[in-house]
Amino acid sequence: MILVMFGPPGAGKGTQAQLIQKVLGLVQLSTGDMLRAAKNAGTAIGLKAKEAMESGQLVTDEIVVGIIADRISEDDCKNGFILDGFPRTVAQAEALDKMLTEKGLKLSHVIEMEVDDVVIVERVSGRFTCASCNEGYHDSFKPTKVEGTCDECGGTEFIRRPDDNAETVSSRLKAYHEQTAPLLPYYKEQGVLRTVDGMASIDEVSRQINEVLTV
């Protein structure tokens, strides 16, 4: 099974991808993590990414798709994977489709998490993660059970991203609506787009996604 988690920043894509990963054994793939790993590993495509990054240039779609192609060839992806944060443009979606077709693969579902912009700003502004195990939390929606202590590892140090503020989130939402939202009709035409209510609770969103995946 090959999934794409789709939605604006802060919609909860990463949270749901982690839950799917635990239940179905799919591998959650983040383009940022893959780029860093390829760069550090010194692979051919990783060296191209390193050159672009160190020269201050944007990593091209060709390089990103090449890194994804290398990554999904590894054994842990044989049962499927989840793409979180990619593609972001129609051109990237077309390049991804071409690469998958060449490998004899195709997308199973594109899961859109539909969320109101005002809610997004509130969600992102309250996010923080455990510095030790990276477990994610939120001031309002998912606080730690014991204040100041991570539920998972017992850590007491937490991190808030400096760009998780209302002004930056509003700017990212604007870019999302202009550049990424056009992917919806692209995937709808392919018949793989599935929409869930991203404003529901984490458990309810997970239930809706599981319903999509088991049909």
Side-chain angles (χ1 to χ4, degrees):
M1 184 179 289
I2 301 173
L3 306 176
V4 167
M5 301 301 294
F6 188 85
K13 301 185 296 296
T15 297
Q16 293 300 327
Q18 288 174 7
L19 293 172
I20 296 169
Q21 181 176 239
K22 290 177 182 177
V23 173
L24 298 180
L26 305 180
V27 180
Q28 179 187 6
L29 301 179
S30 160
T31 49
D33 291 344
M34 285 186 285
L35 280 168
R36 285 186 287 273
K39 175 185 170 184
N40 294 335
T43 62
I45 198 75
L47 291 175
K48 287 184 179 180
K50 180 180 179 180
E51 183 180 347
M53 293 162 77
E54 291 183 350
S55 64
Q57 299 176 352
L58 290 174
V59 179
T60 65
D61 293 348
E62 180 183 5
I63 291 175
V64 175
V65 172
I67 286 173
I68 294 172
D70 283 354
R71 179 66 182 87
I72 66 177
S73 297
E74 297 179 22
D75 286 344
D76 62 344
C77 290
K78 63 184 179 182
N79 292 326
F81 53 90
I82 309 162
L83 285 172
D84 175 14
F86 188 91
R88 294 185 178 179
T89 66
V90 173
Q92 290 176 350
E94 291 173 341
L96 175 65
D97 283 346
K98 182 174 182 292
M99 180 272 287
L100 291 175
T101 299
E102 289 171 352
K103 287 180 170 289
L105 303 170
K106 66 177 182 177
L107 288 177
S108 305
H109 301 290
V110 174
I111 299 174
E112 178 204 6
M113 298 183 62
E114 195 172 43
V115 186
D116 182 85
D117 283 6
V118 174
V119 175
I120 287 290
V121 174
E122 182 185 2
R123 280 187 177 181
V124 175
S125 298
R127 296 192 304 195
F128 61 98
T129 58
C130 174
S132 299
C133 70
N134 293 320
E135 181 69 16
Y137 296 98
H138 191 280
D139 293 329
S140 302
F141 306 121
K142 189 187 173 186
T144 55
K145 293 175 182 176
V146 176
E147 186 176 355
T149 303
C150 176
D151 300 348
E152 296 297 317
C153 73
T156 56
E157 297 292 328
F158 297 91
I159 300 170
R160 291 181 187 268
R161 286 174 45 173
D163 58 344
D164 279 355
N165 58 74
E167 184 178 353
T168 302
V169 174
S170 296
S171 177
R172 288 162 64 193
L173 283 169
K174 183 174 183 291
Y176 168 80
H177 289 302
E178 291 176 352
Q179 301 170 17
T180 308
L183 279 168
L184 292 173
Y186 175 84
Y187 282 127
K188 186 175 183 179
E189 187 175 333
Q190 292 188 17
V192 295
L193 181 66
R194 304 290 183 269
T195 301
V196 299
D197 179 11
M199 295 179 67
S201 67
I202 291 175
D203 288 345
E204 172 58 19
V205 174
S206 181
R207 186 197 67 77
Q208 291 180 36
I209 291 175
N210 287 335
E211 194 173 81
V212 167
L213 301 183
T214 54
V215 170

